[in-house]
Amino acid sequence: NGKPDLYGPLWIYICLSICIVICGHFSNVMDFEFIDNHPPKLQYEAQMRKITKLWFMTSFYFFVVPLIIHGICFFFGSGSPGYQRTLAIYGYSFAIFIPATVILVPPIEYLRYATLGVAGFISLLFISKELMDAGKKYLEQKWVTAIAIM
C-alpha cells in the first residue's frame, strides 16, 4: 500500500530490549563468578536500576534518532522519506544487535568489542543503503551523499 511496515521494527525493538536484559544479567553473573575478585561470602545482586536506563536509551535510539534524521532531511529541503519510513529503516537496522547481545555474554573483552564493532558496521551499512535508496527520489545527489555519511 506504499505504507512502511512498523510491525517488524517494533518487535525487533521489544526483542532487543528483552535480550539485552537477559543477556546482560547472564554477563554480569559470569563477570562476577569468573573475573571479579570478591570475598567468598559475597553474593551477586541483580542490578534492576539498569533496566530503566536501558529502556530510556533504547527508546531514544529507536524513536528520537530517526526523528532527528527525518528533521535533517526535511530541513535541507526537497522533502524527505517520511518519519515512518525512517523509523522503519532504523528499526530494522537493530536486528543485527539481537544475536550480538548473545555473543556478548562470555567475559572475553576483545570478543565483545569486535562483536559490537561488526554489528554497528552492518547496521550502519543497512541504514546508509536504505536511506540512500529512499532519498534518491526526494533529494539532490549531494544530499544523498550527506545522508550516507549520517
Side-chain angles (χ1 to χ4, degrees):
N1 296 337
K3 296 180 181 179
D5 172 35
L6 295 179
Y7 186 73
L10 182 64
W11 276 107
I12 290 172
Y13 166 69
I14 292 169
C15 289
L16 179 62
S17 298
I18 292 170
C19 194
I20 289 173
V21 169
I22 293 170
C23 292
H25 175 72
F26 286 144
S27 178
N28 287 340
V29 169
M30 289 183 74
D31 286 347
F32 182 80
E33 292 294 329
F34 298 115
I35 292 181
D36 292 342
N37 295 324
H38 54 81
K41 293 186 178 184
L42 186 65
Q43 293 184 351
Y44 175 76
E45 286 186 34
Q47 300 169 350
M48 301 305 284
R49 288 172 289 198
K50 288 185 177 181
I51 294 175
T52 307
K53 291 178 185 176
L54 163 82
W55 180 83
F56 176 75
M57 291 302 295
T58 56
S59 296
F60 177 80
Y61 282 116
F62 189 77
F63 294 109
V64 177
V65 172
L67 184 63
I68 292 169
I69 292 172
H70 171 69
I72 290 171
C73 293
F74 186 76
F75 178 73
F76 285 123
S78 302
S80 70
Y83 177 66
Q84 289 180 341
R85 173 92 170 121
T86 307
L87 184 67
I89 291 169
Y90 210 74
Y92 278 116
S93 74
F94 279 11
I96 190 66
F97 290 103
I98 294 173
T101 56
V102 176
I103 297 172
L104 295 175
V105 171
I108 305 169
E109 289 302 313
Y110 66 87
L111 177 65
R112 289 177 176 175
Y113 288 121
T115 301
L116 286 176
V118 169
F121 182 72
I122 291 171
S123 177
L124 181 64
L125 283 177
F126 178 78
I127 291 170
S128 298
K129 179 195 166 295
E130 291 298 318
L131 280 180
M132 284 181 66
D133 290 345
K136 280 183 184 176
K137 59 183 169 184
Y138 296 107
L139 303 173
E140 298 173 11
Q141 184 62 33
K142 62 182 177 179
W143 298 119
V144 173
T145 306
I147 289 175
I149 292 171
M150 284 191 297

